[in-house]
Amino acid sequence: MNSKFLYVFTLLSNLTTLTGQANDRQLRNPFDFPILLSGNFGELRSNHFHSGIDFKTQGAEGKPIHAPQEGYVSRVSISPWGYGNALYITHPDGTTTVYGHLQKFSPAIADYVKAQQYELERFDVNLFPEPDSLPVRKDEIVAWSGNTGSSAGPHLHFEVRDTKTEEVLDPLVFFHEQITDTRPPKILGILVVPIEGSGVVNGSSQKLRITPQISKNGQTRVSQKIEAWGDIGLAVKAYDYMDRTTNIYGVKEITLMADSQVIFHSYLNRFAFDETRYINTLIDYEEWQKRRSFYIRSFSEPGNRLRFPEYVNRGIVHIDEARTYELTYTLADAFGNMARLTIPIEGKQQEIPAVPTEGTELFHWNSDNRFGAKGIRLFIPKGNLYNNLHFRYTVKKDCAAWADTHRLHDTPVPLHQSARLSLFLHHDTLTNKRQYGIVRLRKGRASWIGGYYRNGWIDTNIRELGDYTILPDTLPPTITPLNPQNWVSKRRIVFRLSDNLSGVKTYRGEIDGRFALFEMNNRSVIAYRFDPKRLSKGTHMLRLSVIDACGNESIYTYSFTW
């Protein structure tokens, strides 16, 4: 089949499948107002794909959430981070729906959660009720929307999962008929990337950045001169848009054709959570780290194990003729709105720069890699690099510091799981060895990684190459009371917790020697709400203990009468 017809057939098949599924399995809108989204499925995020859709909640918290179909509560998780207050409902059709960043649960679920928190004596919990303990009817109010966890504003994060495999599915399929979208995606940038050692663009081995122009007739075009030879790859920066909102979204489907051949096709409608970190090989990682721009590569590194992108010759274009090569991107959203851009590239023979290897060590993507120098040991297990790497190491020596500063390569390199890093201490003077930790340095700021002491060395796991050294954390966390004069009248005791370096690891509140439930939000504010079932009238003694990742502890006590 001709590749042009193959592409059109694939696109139409995807749209037909989506529409058919939508007609067969439309879900109830979880809210009582029309659907507007602030995020869609598969959007590119830091180290992961967005695993659901984000419903707008009219800029406010506390909107009732209805169960889209019958089922039972199979999981409840509470955390100051991630999904915050989250609910999982398993349904008879083989799916589980997930609701994140909730303000509160329905009374029956809330009572169950609170009882478990007191039994376990902790705020953050991950609970799995028995299937018959918390049944759910279709349309029943199961929770109220909120802004808990790692949420930047009020909304509902909603997922549909395959119950058996726990893979996430695109929820938009199940609300397709309830959303109007007539706006196509937009292509905002192109990278032309010469493959190291085998390609060149405009006489250079550096990536060429292109900003498409809008012509007078409204067409998007590339006016920049591009001359290339050898092997090159392309990457595209693009967003989708929807009616009645100003938000930007991820693009559902991307196709790249080289002349008349499809060489790359991406259509994301499901993925497994153990795949999601492969986003760091699908995108141009350096662009994301240095400029916070997501460019989706249309060519594959050898360590890419994502299932949904399809490549011909790994998406690499081989230019070996003095002619014009036409590279055409076609982007489509879930509603069939499309955008196209053709990038003309002139084949021009030119010298391909050699890979600079002096002062480097070659790390292979498909094998274990070890590196050692004075004061450092690095072990990268097989499967953690996405491509071969000419590893460059430099060190900033400082005998007055706790350790030298070690630069592991000169550009950002992600690791799929982790590597083992060991650094040596110049000054091993602390009695409490837990107070040493490895830190990552970015623009003068130290981020705590931590680690374990071993005969003058600190061992830890890292997930990215970069700049590392050792610092101590000898200071305990800070406990700041917030408006204590209002605690009794408002029946709510509130603190802000902070730490200078390693971060708050645990906290425990007690009233009269018994556990008191302090809820924590993502701004490290904890609050205890007076509970008449567990707190009687009278004079009470509060004790709050806060411990950081190095074991440094702070204690706050307070006597109050209610």
Side-chain angles (χ1 to χ4, degrees):
M1 182 182 292
N2 181 283
S3 58
K4 287 185 177 179
F5 292 109
L6 176 62
Y7 162 68
V8 173
F9 175 78
T10 302
L11 176 61
L12 292 176
S13 295
N14 288 337
L15 293 175
T16 301
T17 300
L18 184 149
T19 304
Q21 290 176 337
N23 288 332
D24 292 342
R25 302 178 61 188
Q26 283 288 287
L27 292 179
R28 182 210 196 279
N29 178 354
F31 295 106
D32 293 323
F33 46 84
I35 294 174
L36 288 177
L37 302 182
S38 58
N40 67 344
F41 181 77
E43 282 182 352
L44 308 176
R45 305 285 174 90
S46 182
N47 296 313
H48 69 284
F49 298 102
H50 190 224
S51 55
I53 57 178
D54 291 339
F55 286 90
K56 289 192 172 192
T57 56
Q58 300 178 328
E61 299 183 48
K63 303 295 182 179
I65 297 171
H66 300 265
Q69 55 178 317
E70 68 174 8
Y72 64 90
V73 175
S74 54
R75 180 180 172 190
V76 187
S77 64
I78 310 292
S79 170
W81 317 110
Y83 290 0
N85 297 336
L87 180 67
Y88 300 69
I89 301 176
T90 295
H91 306 285
D93 66 354
T95 65
T96 296
T97 51
V98 182
Y99 312 78
H101 311 305
L102 303 173
Q103 180 191 66
K104 60 182 181 179
F105 305 103
S106 66
I109 299 171
D111 289 346
Y112 164 80
V113 170
K114 195 168 190 178
Q116 292 296 310
Q117 288 174 313
Y118 269 94
E119 182 175 333
L120 298 169
E121 296 192 350
R122 58 183 301 149
F123 163 66
D124 54 314
V125 292
N126 196 16
L127 308 172
F128 298 88
E130 292 297 322
D132 58 351
S133 63
L134 292 170
V136 171
R137 302 182 310 276
K138 182 179 180 180
D139 299 329
E140 177 184 347
I141 294 176
V142 293
W144 284 263
S145 67
N147 190 29
T148 57
S150 302
S151 173
H155 72 282
L156 170 67
H157 174 82
F158 179 87
E159 295 178 10
V160 177
R161 298 187 183 181
D162 182 317
T163 302
K164 185 176 180 179
T165 66
E166 294 191 6
E167 292 183 352
V168 285
L169 315 176
D170 187 352
L172 201 59
V173 169
F174 306 101
F175 301 101
H176 194 264
E177 292 182 349
Q178 303 172 58
I179 298 172
T180 300
D181 180 11
T182 61
R183 301 177 66 187
K186 290 182 181 179
I187 298 173
L188 304 178
I190 299 292
L191 289 181
V192 184
V193 183
I195 304 302
E196 189 177 50
S198 62
V200 60
V201 175
N202 289 357
S204 172
S205 59
Q206 301 298 310
K207 290 175 281 194
L208 177 65
R209 295 176 184 82
I210 297 170
T211 302
Q213 306 297 313
I214 306 296
S215 61
K216 291 182 178 179
N217 62 3
Q219 297 297 311
T220 305
R221 63 187 182 87
V222 171
S223 58
Q224 193 167 339
K225 185 177 182 181
I226 309 168
E227 296 177 337
W229 197 254
D231 294 330
I232 66 167
L234 265 62
V236 59
K237 177 181 178 179
Y239 295 122
D240 191 24
Y241 304 84
M242 301 185 79
D243 294 4
R244 297 187 296 136
T245 77
T246 58
N247 295 81
I248 57 176
Y249 308 90
V251 177
K252 180 72 175 176
E253 184 168 19
I254 301 175
T255 302
L256 178 63
M257 298 181 68
D259 294 327
S260 61
Q261 182 182 23
V262 174
I263 62 170
F264 169 77
H265 179 242
S266 171
Y267 182 82
L268 179 55
N269 60 2
R270 70 185 293 158
F271 65 87
F273 284 105
D274 61 5
E275 292 180 280
T276 194
R277 193 170 168 86
Y278 281 115
I279 189 175
N280 290 329
T281 183
L282 182 69
I283 65 171
D284 189 293
Y285 191 75
E286 184 179 8
E287 287 294 315
W288 165 240
Q289 288 295 311
K290 290 185 174 181
R291 299 175 179 85
R292 288 338 232 187
S293 287
F294 278 124
Y295 281 83
I296 299 175
R297 287 174 169 171
S298 305
F299 61 102
S300 175
E301 294 180 296
N304 184 348
R305 292 292 179 266
L306 282 173
R307 290 177 295 169
F308 65 87
E310 302 170 283
Y311 303 90
V312 173
N313 190 34
R314 289 179 38 214
I316 294 172
V317 181
H318 183 65
I319 297 180
D320 59 358
E321 298 179 27
R323 64 176 179 86
T324 300
Y325 292 74
E326 287 195 348
L327 285 297
T328 301
Y329 273 113
T330 303
L331 279 59
D333 65 18
F335 295 84
N337 304 301
M338 303 174 71
R340 286 189 179 86
L341 176 67
T342 296
I343 304 104
I345 298 179
E346 296 297 326
K348 181 178 180 181
Q349 189 167 2
Q350 48 197 301
E351 183 179 353
I352 297 175
V355 179
T357 58
E358 185 176 352
T360 71
E361 290 202 19
L362 179 59
F363 287 176
H364 294 275
W365 70 272
N366 60 347
S367 65
D368 292 343
N369 296 279
R370 290 177 171 84
F371 173 81
K374 186 177 180 180
I376 180 174
R377 301 290 184 270
L378 175 66
F379 171 58
I380 305 177
K382 177 181 178 180
N384 279 284
L385 292 174
Y386 301 123
N387 208 343
N388 291 343
L389 176 69
H390 289 277
F391 175 72
R392 289 180 284 275
Y393 166 79
T394 56
V395 59
K396 182 180 179 181
K397 295 185 177 297
D398 187 350
C399 293
W402 293 91
D404 295 334
T405 297
H406 303 266
R407 173 161 289 178
L408 312 181
H409 206 59
D410 51 10
T411 59
V413 176
L415 302 169
H416 188 63
Q417 293 180 329
S418 64
R420 191 70 170 170
L421 176 64
S422 302
L423 299 183
F424 187 72
L425 281 158
H426 288 323
H427 310 287
D428 188 0
T429 58
L430 297 181
T431 302
N432 182 359
K433 306 304 183 184
R434 288 180 61 190
Q435 294 176 326
Y436 294 123
I438 290 177
V439 296
R440 169 78 188 275
L441 301 176
R442 296 177 193 259
K443 298 180 180 179
R445 289 190 62 184
S447 300
W448 185 263
I449 306 297
Y452 299 93
Y453 177 88
R454 175 182 54 83
N455 300 323
W457 291 79
I458 306 297
D459 302 327
T460 195
N461 291 322
I462 61 173
R463 303 201 74 178
E464 182 186 35
L465 302 184
D467 294 358
Y468 294 91
T469 189
I470 298 173
L471 288 177
D473 182 356
T474 59
L475 299 178
T478 299
I479 302 173
T480 305
L482 300 181
N483 302 316
Q485 69 278 7
N486 298 328
W487 286 355
V488 173
S489 63
K490 293 185 177 296
R491 301 184 180 186
R492 189 168 180 261
I493 299 174
V494 188
F495 296 95
R496 174 172 281 110
L497 310 182
S498 60
D499 189 70
N500 68 309
L501 187 57
S502 64
V504 172
K505 185 176 182 181
T506 62
Y507 68 90
R508 179 180 174 86
E510 294 181 350
I511 296 178
D512 303 331
R514 299 173 60 189
F515 172 78
L517 177 60
F518 276 84
E519 299 177 325
M520 186 183 217
N521 68 20
N522 63 6
R523 291 165 292 281
S524 297
V525 173
I526 63 172
Y528 169 78
R529 302 175 189 275
F530 288 15
D531 184 352
K533 294 181 179 178
R534 296 175 174 87
L535 185 67
S536 61
K537 298 279 187 176
T539 299
H540 302 279
M541 177 58 69
L542 166 69
R543 183 183 187 274
L544 176 64
S545 168
V546 184
I547 303 174
D548 68 15
C550 289
N552 303 306
E553 182 180 20
S554 292
I555 295 175
Y556 181 96
T557 59
Y558 180 79
S559 177
F560 67 98
T561 300
W562 178 40

